[in-house]
Amino acid sequence: MKIRVVIVDDEPLARLAVKVRLAQRDAFELVGEFGDGDSAYDGIVALKPDLVFVDVEMPGKSGLNVLAALPPAQRPMAILLTAYEGFALQAFELAALDYLLKPVDDERFDEALDRAQQAFPYRCQSRAAAPATPAIPATTAMRSFSVRVGARTVLVPVAEVERIEADGDYASLHANGKIWLVRERLHNLATQLDPRQFHRVHRSSIVRLDMITELRSLTNRDAMLRLRDGSVVRASRSYMPALTEALQQLNTQTDS
């Protein structure tokens, strides 16, 4: 199931930049683009996209106005685009997935798309009675990590991994009190893991959801996560809406 995308920006070159990057990711399908707020509102209502890239400031109705005018149940996942830093509070209030400052570099753009892929299955589940097909089906999600230890290759089961931390071009796996180093960037691992089990909570951290025992909100809207092993991981505010929804879905499944 592809994630259907709409782009809203009054600058044609800005829309083109998003389209070019989206074309490199097979999980996303562009279904519409709009250059002003009024047509964007009508287009979103008609097309019902899963994800919308929205320029915050546009002539007439702004991107924030468009999102705010949509009923929460009909509001798509949103990634805000802006040249200014002063809209973080509005982004948080609208539960935007991400908040990208122009000009957006490729790594930050990819992170935003990764976050959309992680949040997509939970969005589908909340909109339909039947469980939706996840962005990464359980049958094809990574089952184990292949780790080189000297002349040996060790297979570390994904089910034993508690969290993953970025380490330059490598990632460190924390599993059963051991740390394994794999030559893979965190961004790539985030797209290979089952989003029903693992969630990216920071630019440098992925956490297994059932390891989280406590979530404590901070004054800057970030959060501190305490895991079963006693370790503490910081969760960035831009990842919090998707993480909160994922934890709610996990709790619902556990209760049932």
Side-chain angles (χ1 to χ4, degrees), residues 82-140:
T82 178
Y84 306 97
E85 297 184 355
F87 296 97
L89 177 59
Q90 294 96 320
F92 181 78
E93 290 173 344
L94 291 168
L97 283 181
D98 211 335
Y99 178 79
L100 303 182
L101 292 176
K102 298 179 180 179
V104 182
D105 63 51
D106 290 338
E107 184 178 357
R108 281 291 291 120
F109 191 89
D110 282 338
E111 286 179 2
L113 292 185
D114 292 344
R115 192 166 305 139
Q117 281 188 264
Q118 287 188 325
F120 183 52
Y122 303 103
R123 169 184 165 80
C124 291
Q125 289 171 4
S126 65
R127 286 193 161 198
T133 303
I136 304 175
T139 55
T140 59

Side-chain angles (χ1 to χ4, degrees), residues 152-170:
R152 298 181 300 132
T153 298
V154 178
L155 294 180
V156 180
V158 167
E160 295 182 3
V161 174
E162 298 147 5
R163 72 182 192 277
I164 308 172
E165 303 289 341
D167 191 356
D169 289 334
Y170 291 79

Side-chain angles (χ1 to χ4, degrees), residues 2-6 28-31 47-52:
K2 290 196 174 186
I3 299 174
R4 302 170 70 254
V5 183
V6 159
F28 298 85
E29 176 187 8
L30 180 64
V31 296
L47 294 171
K48 296 180 174 59
D50 303 303
L51 171 67
V52 59

